[in-house]
Every structure is written in structure tokens, then in C-alpha cells.
PDB file of all heavy atoms in Angstrom:
ATOM      1  N   THR A   9     -18.624   4.493   7.516  1.00 40.00           N
ATOM      2  CA  THR A   9     -18.455   5.838   6.989  1.00 40.00           C
ATOM      3  C   THR A   9     -16.989   6.200   6.863  1.00 40.00           C
ATOM      4  O   THR A   9     -16.539   6.692   5.826  1.00 40.00           O
ATOM      5  CB  THR A   9     -19.180   6.881   7.880  1.00 40.00           C
ATOM      6  OG1 THR A   9     -20.563   6.507   7.937  1.00 40.00           O
ATOM      7  CG2 THR A   9     -19.049   8.255   7.340  1.00 40.00           C
ATOM      8  N   SER A  10     -16.236   5.950   7.946  1.00 43.00           N
ATOM      9  CA  SER A  10     -14.808   6.289   7.912  1.00 43.00           C
ATOM     10  C   SER A  10     -14.095   5.459   6.869  1.00 43.00           C
ATOM     11  O   SER A  10     -13.173   5.924   6.206  1.00 43.00           O
ATOM     12  CB  SER A  10     -14.172   6.064   9.305  1.00 43.00           C
ATOM     13  OG  SER A  10     -14.275   4.720   9.675  1.00 43.00           O
ATOM     14  N   SER A  11     -14.511   4.193   6.690  1.00 41.00           N
ATOM     15  CA  SER A  11     -13.878   3.342   5.690  1.00 41.00           C
ATOM     16  C   SER A  11     -14.144   3.845   4.294  1.00 41.00           C
ATOM     17  O   SER A  11     -13.257   3.867   3.433  1.00 41.00           O
ATOM     18  CB  SER A  11     -14.335   1.884   5.865  1.00 41.00           C
ATOM     19  OG  SER A  11     -13.791   1.071   4.887  1.00 41.00           O
ATOM     20  N   SER A  12     -15.413   4.235   4.049  1.00 41.00           N
ATOM     21  CA  SER A  12     -15.769   4.662   2.702  1.00 41.00           C
ATOM     22  C   SER A  12     -15.092   5.971   2.337  1.00 41.00           C
ATOM     23  O   SER A  12     -14.839   6.235   1.165  1.00 41.00           O
ATOM     24  CB  SER A  12     -17.297   4.799   2.587  1.00 41.00           C
ATOM     25  OG  SER A  12     -17.761   5.805   3.428  1.00 41.00           O
ATOM     26  N   ARG A  13     -14.784   6.823   3.322  1.00 48.00           N
ATOM     27  CA  ARG A  13     -14.154   8.097   3.031  1.00 48.00           C
ATOM     28  C   ARG A  13     -12.646   8.007   3.036  1.00 48.00           C
ATOM     29  O   ARG A  13     -11.976   8.995   2.694  1.00 48.00           O
ATOM     30  CB  ARG A  13     -14.604   9.107   4.079  1.00 48.00           C
ATOM     31  CG  ARG A  13     -16.108   9.450   3.985  1.00 48.00           C
ATOM     32  CD  ARG A  13     -16.494  10.429   5.099  1.00 48.00           C
ATOM     33  NE  ARG A  13     -17.899  10.742   5.025  1.00 48.00           N
ATOM     34  CZ  ARG A  13     -18.544  11.483   5.933  1.00 48.00           C
ATOM     35  NH1 ARG A  13     -17.898  11.946   7.006  1.00 48.00           N
ATOM     36  NH2 ARG A  13     -19.834  11.726   5.802  1.00 48.00           N
ATOM     37  N   ALA A  14     -12.077   6.888   3.414  1.00 50.00           N
ATOM     38  CA  ALA A  14     -10.630   6.759   3.487  1.00 50.00           C
ATOM     39  C   ALA A  14     -10.048   6.835   2.095  1.00 50.00           C
ATOM     40  O   ALA A  14     -10.624   6.384   1.107  1.00 50.00           O
ATOM     41  CB  ALA A  14     -10.238   5.440   4.150  1.00 50.00           C
ATOM     42  N   SER A  15      -8.827   7.399   1.982  1.00 61.00           N
ATOM     43  CA  SER A  15      -8.128   7.514   0.716  1.00 61.00           C
ATOM     44  C   SER A  15      -7.762   6.121   0.218  1.00 61.00           C
ATOM     45  O   SER A  15      -7.351   5.256   1.014  1.00 61.00           O
ATOM     46  CB  SER A  15      -6.905   8.350   0.880  1.00 61.00           C
ATOM     47  OG  SER A  15      -6.041   8.233  -0.252  1.00 61.00           O
ATOM     48  N   PRO A  16      -7.857   5.873  -1.106  1.00 66.00           N
ATOM     49  CA  PRO A  16      -7.407   4.578  -1.623  1.00 66.00           C
ATOM     50  C   PRO A  16      -5.927   4.317  -1.345  1.00 66.00           C
ATOM     51  O   PRO A  16      -5.490   3.171  -1.359  1.00 66.00           O
ATOM     52  CB  PRO A  16      -7.689   4.701  -3.126  1.00 66.00           C
ATOM     53  CG  PRO A  16      -8.710   5.765  -3.246  1.00 66.00           C
ATOM     54  CD  PRO A  16      -8.464   6.718  -2.131  1.00 66.00           C
ATOM     55  N   LEU A  17      -5.161   5.395  -1.120  1.00 73.00           N
ATOM     56  CA  LEU A  17      -3.716   5.241  -0.863  1.00 73.00           C
ATOM     57  C   LEU A  17      -3.386   5.259   0.628  1.00 73.00           C
ATOM     58  O   LEU A  17      -2.218   5.260   1.003  1.00 73.00           O
ATOM     59  CB  LEU A  17      -2.946   6.374  -1.579  1.00 73.00           C
ATOM     60  CG  LEU A  17      -3.146   6.480  -3.099  1.00 73.00           C
ATOM     61  CD1 LEU A  17      -2.316   7.641  -3.637  1.00 73.00           C
ATOM     62  CD2 LEU A  17      -2.711   5.178  -3.775  1.00 73.00           C
ATOM     63  N   ALA A  18      -4.410   5.253   1.472  1.00 77.00           N
ATOM     64  CA  ALA A  18      -4.197   5.320   2.924  1.00 77.00           C
ATOM     65  C   ALA A  18      -3.247   4.234   3.448  1.00 77.00           C
ATOM     66  O   ALA A  18      -2.423   4.510   4.337  1.00 77.00           O
ATOM     67  CB  ALA A  18      -5.504   5.291   3.666  1.00 77.00           C
ATOM     68  N   PRO A  19      -3.320   2.987   2.960  1.00 83.00           N
ATOM     69  CA  PRO A  19      -2.398   1.972   3.514  1.00 83.00           C
ATOM     70  C   PRO A  19      -0.914   2.307   3.353  1.00 83.00           C
ATOM     71  O   PRO A  19      -0.087   1.808   4.110  1.00 83.00           O
ATOM     72  CB  PRO A  19      -2.776   0.710   2.709  1.00 83.00           C
ATOM     73  CG  PRO A  19      -4.206   0.921   2.330  1.00 83.00           C
ATOM     74  CD  PRO A  19      -4.320   2.376   2.058  1.00 83.00           C
ATOM     75  N   PHE A  20      -0.588   3.134   2.359  1.00 86.00           N
ATOM     76  CA  PHE A  20       0.832   3.500   2.181  1.00 86.00           C
ATOM     77  C   PHE A  20       1.363   4.357   3.333  1.00 86.00           C
ATOM     78  O   PHE A  20       2.571   4.583   3.423  1.00 86.00           O
ATOM     79  CB  PHE A  20       1.030   4.238   0.858  1.00 86.00           C
ATOM     80  CG  PHE A  20       1.012   3.327  -0.345  1.00 86.00           C
ATOM     81  CD1 PHE A  20       0.384   3.724  -1.528  1.00 86.00           C
ATOM     82  CD2 PHE A  20       1.593   2.067  -0.298  1.00 86.00           C
ATOM     83  CE1 PHE A  20       0.363   2.894  -2.635  1.00 86.00           C
ATOM     84  CE2 PHE A  20       1.579   1.227  -1.402  1.00 86.00           C
ATOM     85  CZ  PHE A  20       0.969   1.662  -2.571  1.00 86.00           C
ATOM     86  N   ARG A  21       0.483   4.845   4.191  1.00 86.00           N
ATOM     87  CA  ARG A  21       0.977   5.565   5.393  1.00 86.00           C
ATOM     88  C   ARG A  21       1.695   4.629   6.333  1.00 86.00           C
ATOM     89  O   ARG A  21       2.461   5.106   7.195  1.00 86.00           O
ATOM     90  CB  ARG A  21      -0.215   6.235   6.112  1.00 86.00           C
ATOM     91  CG  ARG A  21      -0.900   7.325   5.314  1.00 86.00           C
ATOM     92  CD  ARG A  21      -1.758   8.165   6.268  1.00 86.00           C
ATOM     93  NE  ARG A  21      -2.761   7.338   6.929  1.00 86.00           N
ATOM     94  CZ  ARG A  21      -4.053   7.265   6.534  1.00 86.00           C
ATOM     95  NH1 ARG A  21      -4.458   7.965   5.493  1.00 86.00           N
ATOM     96  NH2 ARG A  21      -4.914   6.516   7.191  1.00 86.00           N
ATOM     97  N   HIS A  22       1.473   3.351   6.199  1.00 85.00           N
ATOM     98  CA  HIS A  22       2.051   2.369   7.134  1.00 85.00           C
ATOM     99  C   HIS A  22       3.350   1.828   6.517  1.00 85.00           C
ATOM    100  O   HIS A  22       3.325   1.229   5.448  1.00 85.00           O
ATOM    101  CB  HIS A  22       1.054   1.265   7.409  1.00 85.00           C
ATOM    102  CG  HIS A  22      -0.285   1.789   7.872  1.00 85.00           C
ATOM    103  ND1 HIS A  22      -0.487   2.238   9.150  1.00 85.00           N
ATOM    104  CD2 HIS A  22      -1.462   1.943   7.210  1.00 85.00           C
ATOM    105  CE1 HIS A  22      -1.754   2.656   9.258  1.00 85.00           C
ATOM    106  NE2 HIS A  22      -2.355   2.482   8.099  1.00 85.00           N
ATOM    107  N   LYS A  23       4.442   2.070   7.190  1.00 87.00           N
ATOM    108  CA  LYS A  23       5.785   1.807   6.635  1.00 87.00           C
ATOM    109  C   LYS A  23       5.966   0.377   6.210  1.00 87.00           C
ATOM    110  O   LYS A  23       6.501   0.103   5.128  1.00 87.00           O
ATOM    111  CB  LYS A  23       6.849   2.200   7.674  1.00 87.00           C
ATOM    112  CG  LYS A  23       8.273   1.992   7.221  1.00 87.00           C
ATOM    113  CD  LYS A  23       9.256   2.420   8.291  1.00 87.00           C
ATOM    114  CE  LYS A  23      10.704   2.191   7.841  1.00 87.00           C
ATOM    115  NZ  LYS A  23      11.658   2.603   8.910  1.00 87.00           N
ATOM    116  N   VAL A  24       5.533  -0.576   7.034  1.00 86.00           N
ATOM    117  CA  VAL A  24       5.750  -1.983   6.704  1.00 86.00           C
ATOM    118  C   VAL A  24       4.977  -2.366   5.459  1.00 86.00           C
ATOM    119  O   VAL A  24       5.500  -3.034   4.566  1.00 86.00           O
ATOM    120  CB  VAL A  24       5.319  -2.873   7.908  1.00 86.00           C
ATOM    121  CG1 VAL A  24       5.383  -4.341   7.510  1.00 86.00           C
ATOM    122  CG2 VAL A  24       6.244  -2.639   9.079  1.00 86.00           C
ATOM    123  N   PHE A  25       3.711  -1.965   5.399  1.00 88.00           N
ATOM    124  CA  PHE A  25       2.926  -2.287   4.204  1.00 88.00           C
ATOM    125  C   PHE A  25       3.568  -1.692   2.972  1.00 88.00           C
ATOM    126  O   PHE A  25       3.658  -2.354   1.920  1.00 88.00           O
ATOM    127  CB  PHE A  25       1.492  -1.760   4.350  1.00 88.00           C
ATOM    128  CG  PHE A  25       0.640  -2.002   3.132  1.00 88.00           C
ATOM    129  CD1 PHE A  25       0.019  -3.230   2.941  1.00 88.00           C
ATOM    130  CD2 PHE A  25       0.481  -1.034   2.162  1.00 88.00           C
ATOM    131  CE1 PHE A  25      -0.748  -3.469   1.803  1.00 88.00           C
ATOM    132  CE2 PHE A  25      -0.312  -1.246   1.035  1.00 88.00           C
ATOM    133  CZ  PHE A  25      -0.904  -2.481   0.838  1.00 88.00           C
ATOM    134  N   ARG A  26       4.023  -0.461   3.074  1.00 88.00           N
ATOM    135  CA  ARG A  26       4.657   0.191   1.931  1.00 88.00           C
ATOM    136  C   ARG A  26       5.889  -0.548   1.451  1.00 88.00           C
ATOM    137  O   ARG A  26       6.102  -0.800   0.267  1.00 88.00           O
ATOM    138  CB  ARG A  26       5.006   1.640   2.287  1.00 88.00           C
ATOM    139  CG  ARG A  26       5.553   2.462   1.154  1.00 88.00           C
ATOM    140  CD  ARG A  26       5.686   3.919   1.510  1.00 88.00           C
ATOM    141  NE  ARG A  26       6.660   4.123   2.588  1.00 88.00           N
ATOM    142  CZ  ARG A  26       6.385   4.519   3.804  1.00 88.00           C
ATOM    143  NH1 ARG A  26       5.118   4.760   4.163  1.00 88.00           N
ATOM    144  NH2 ARG A  26       7.335   4.704   4.699  1.00 88.00           N
ATOM    145  N   ALA A  27       6.737  -0.971   2.416  1.00 89.00           N
ATOM    146  CA  ALA A  27       7.977  -1.680   2.062  1.00 89.00           C
ATOM    147  C   ALA A  27       7.679  -3.022   1.424  1.00 89.00           C
ATOM    148  O   ALA A  27       8.264  -3.415   0.410  1.00 89.00           O
ATOM    149  CB  ALA A  27       8.861  -1.833   3.282  1.00 89.00           C
ATOM    150  N   VAL A  28       6.763  -3.781   2.039  1.00 88.00           N
ATOM    151  CA  VAL A  28       6.411  -5.097   1.481  1.00 88.00           C
ATOM    152  C   VAL A  28       5.747  -4.955   0.139  1.00 88.00           C
ATOM    153  O   VAL A  28       5.995  -5.753  -0.795  1.00 88.00           O
ATOM    154  CB  VAL A  28       5.517  -5.880   2.481  1.00 88.00           C
ATOM    155  CG1 VAL A  28       5.040  -7.188   1.871  1.00 88.00           C
ATOM    156  CG2 VAL A  28       6.270  -6.155   3.768  1.00 88.00           C
ATOM    157  N   TRP A  29       4.890  -3.941  -0.046  1.00 88.00           N
ATOM    158  CA  TRP A  29       4.213  -3.746  -1.317  1.00 88.00           C
ATOM    159  C   TRP A  29       5.213  -3.478  -2.428  1.00 88.00           C
ATOM    160  O   TRP A  29       5.111  -4.055  -3.522  1.00 88.00           O
ATOM    161  CB  TRP A  29       3.228  -2.567  -1.186  1.00 88.00           C
ATOM    162  CG  TRP A  29       2.331  -2.383  -2.393  1.00 88.00           C
ATOM    163  CD1 TRP A  29       1.121  -2.971  -2.596  1.00 88.00           C
ATOM    164  CD2 TRP A  29       2.591  -1.591  -3.548  1.00 88.00           C
ATOM    165  NE1 TRP A  29       0.609  -2.572  -3.803  1.00 88.00           N
ATOM    166  CE2 TRP A  29       1.487  -1.733  -4.415  1.00 88.00           C
ATOM    167  CE3 TRP A  29       3.655  -0.771  -3.940  1.00 88.00           C
ATOM    168  CZ2 TRP A  29       1.399  -1.094  -5.646  1.00 88.00           C
ATOM    169  CZ3 TRP A  29       3.581  -0.124  -5.164  1.00 88.00           C
ATOM    170  CH2 TRP A  29       2.469  -0.274  -5.995  1.00 88.00           C
ATOM    171  N   ILE A  30       6.197  -2.595  -2.174  1.00 89.00           N
ATOM    172  CA  ILE A  30       7.196  -2.278  -3.202  1.00 89.00           C
ATOM    173  C   ILE A  30       8.022  -3.523  -3.533  1.00 89.00           C
ATOM    174  O   ILE A  30       8.277  -3.830  -4.702  1.00 89.00           O
ATOM    175  CB  ILE A  30       8.097  -1.118  -2.709  1.00 89.00           C
ATOM    176  CG1 ILE A  30       7.290   0.154  -2.626  1.00 89.00           C
ATOM    177  CG2 ILE A  30       9.283  -0.945  -3.675  1.00 89.00           C
ATOM    178  CD1 ILE A  30       8.049   1.311  -1.958  1.00 89.00           C
ATOM    179  N   ALA A  31       8.479  -4.249  -2.485  1.00 89.00           N
ATOM    180  CA  ALA A  31       9.270  -5.467  -2.742  1.00 89.00           C
ATOM    181  C   ALA A  31       8.438  -6.512  -3.479  1.00 89.00           C
ATOM    182  O   ALA A  31       8.942  -7.238  -4.356  1.00 89.00           O
ATOM    183  CB  ALA A  31       9.784  -6.023  -1.409  1.00 89.00           C
ATOM    184  N   SER A  32       7.154  -6.637  -3.116  1.00 87.00           N
ATOM    185  CA  SER A  32       6.267  -7.594  -3.801  1.00 87.00           C
ATOM    186  C   SER A  32       6.061  -7.196  -5.260  1.00 87.00           C
ATOM    187  O   SER A  32       5.913  -8.058  -6.123  1.00 87.00           O
ATOM    188  CB  SER A  32       4.936  -7.697  -3.064  1.00 87.00           C
ATOM    189  OG  SER A  32       5.089  -8.219  -1.776  1.00 87.00           O
ATOM    190  N   LEU A  33       6.006  -5.892  -5.510  1.00 87.00           N
ATOM    191  CA  LEU A  33       5.864  -5.438  -6.904  1.00 87.00           C
ATOM    192  C   LEU A  33       7.020  -5.941  -7.757  1.00 87.00           C
ATOM    193  O   LEU A  33       6.823  -6.465  -8.857  1.00 87.00           O
ATOM    194  CB  LEU A  33       5.779  -3.909  -6.937  1.00 87.00           C
ATOM    195  CG  LEU A  33       5.658  -3.275  -8.317  1.00 87.00           C
ATOM    196  CD1 LEU A  33       4.363  -3.708  -9.008  1.00 87.00           C
ATOM    197  CD2 LEU A  33       5.724  -1.737  -8.194  1.00 87.00           C
ATOM    198  N   ALA A  34       8.259  -5.821  -7.221  1.00 87.00           N
ATOM    199  CA  ALA A  34       9.424  -6.321  -7.936  1.00 87.00           C
ATOM    200  C   ALA A  34       9.350  -7.811  -8.143  1.00 87.00           C
ATOM    201  O   ALA A  34       9.660  -8.356  -9.205  1.00 87.00           O
ATOM    202  CB  ALA A  34      10.699  -5.925  -7.198  1.00 87.00           C
ATOM    203  N   SER A  35       8.924  -8.521  -7.069  1.00 87.00           N
ATOM    204  CA  SER A  35       8.810  -9.988  -7.165  1.00 87.00           C
ATOM    205  C   SER A  35       7.729 -10.408  -8.176  1.00 87.00           C
ATOM    206  O   SER A  35       7.885 -11.383  -8.895  1.00 87.00           O
ATOM    207  CB  SER A  35       8.483 -10.549  -5.773  1.00 87.00           C
ATOM    208  OG  SER A  35       8.418 -11.978  -5.825  1.00 87.00           O
ATOM    209  N   ASN A  36       6.624  -9.627  -8.214  1.00 85.00           N
ATOM    210  CA  ASN A  36       5.581  -9.922  -9.186  1.00 85.00           C
ATOM    211  C   ASN A  36       6.084  -9.737 -10.622  1.00 85.00           C
ATOM    212  O   ASN A  36       5.742 -10.523 -11.508  1.00 85.00           O
ATOM    213  CB  ASN A  36       4.370  -9.005  -8.945  1.00 85.00           C
ATOM    214  CG  ASN A  36       3.591  -9.388  -7.714  1.00 85.00           C
ATOM    215  OD1 ASN A  36       3.597 -10.546  -7.282  1.00 85.00           O
ATOM    216  ND2 ASN A  36       2.918  -8.427  -7.102  1.00 85.00           N
ATOM    217  N   PHE A  37       6.899  -8.706 -10.820  1.00 86.00           N
ATOM    218  CA  PHE A  37       7.496  -8.522 -12.153  1.00 86.00           C
ATOM    219  C   PHE A  37       8.278  -9.772 -12.526  1.00 86.00           C
ATOM    220  O   PHE A  37       8.158 -10.315 -13.639  1.00 86.00           O
ATOM    221  CB  PHE A  37       8.434  -7.320 -12.162  1.00 86.00           C
ATOM    222  CG  PHE A  37       7.757  -6.038 -12.588  1.00 86.00           C
ATOM    223  CD1 PHE A  37       7.407  -5.079 -11.697  1.00 86.00           C
ATOM    224  CD2 PHE A  37       7.489  -5.811 -13.940  1.00 86.00           C
ATOM    225  CE1 PHE A  37       6.815  -3.885 -12.088  1.00 86.00           C
ATOM    226  CE2 PHE A  37       6.887  -4.636 -14.357  1.00 86.00           C
ATOM    227  CZ  PHE A  37       6.546  -3.658 -13.428  1.00 86.00           C
ATOM    228  N   GLY A  38       9.124 -10.242 -11.598  1.00 87.00           N
ATOM    229  CA  GLY A  38       9.934 -11.421 -11.868  1.00 87.00           C
ATOM    230  C   GLY A  38       9.099 -12.652 -12.142  1.00 87.00           C
ATOM    231  O   GLY A  38       9.394 -13.446 -13.041  1.00 87.00           O
ATOM    232  N   GLY A  39       8.029 -12.839 -11.327  1.00 85.00           N
ATOM    233  CA  GLY A  39       7.196 -14.010 -11.517  1.00 85.00           C
ATOM    234  C   GLY A  39       6.497 -14.032 -12.853  1.00 85.00           C
ATOM    235  O   GLY A  39       6.400 -15.103 -13.516  1.00 85.00           O
TER     236      GLY A  39
END
């Protein structure tokens, strides 16, 4: 229940995930 109600953007609350996601986005562009 808690998983289904969680926001799709909830992982961005976690600093490390957010930083790696942004850096990976730039790397994906390059790739």
C-alpha cells in the first residue's frame, strides 16, 4: 500500500540518488 501511494518522484528526496541521477543523465546524453 505504501509503495503504491508513494510519489513517482520520491527517490529524489535522497541526495545521493539525485546527484547520481543528474550526472548519469549528462553521461547518457554523451553516450
Side-chain angles (χ1 to χ4, degrees):
T9 301
S10 62
S11 177
S12 65
R13 294 177 179 173
S15 167
L17 302 180
F20 283 141
R21 294 196 301 259
H22 307 284
K23 181 179 179 181
V24 172
F25 177 83
R26 185 171 65 248
V28 174
W29 188 89
I30 293 171
S32 296
L33 178 63
S35 182
N36 288 333
F37 267 104

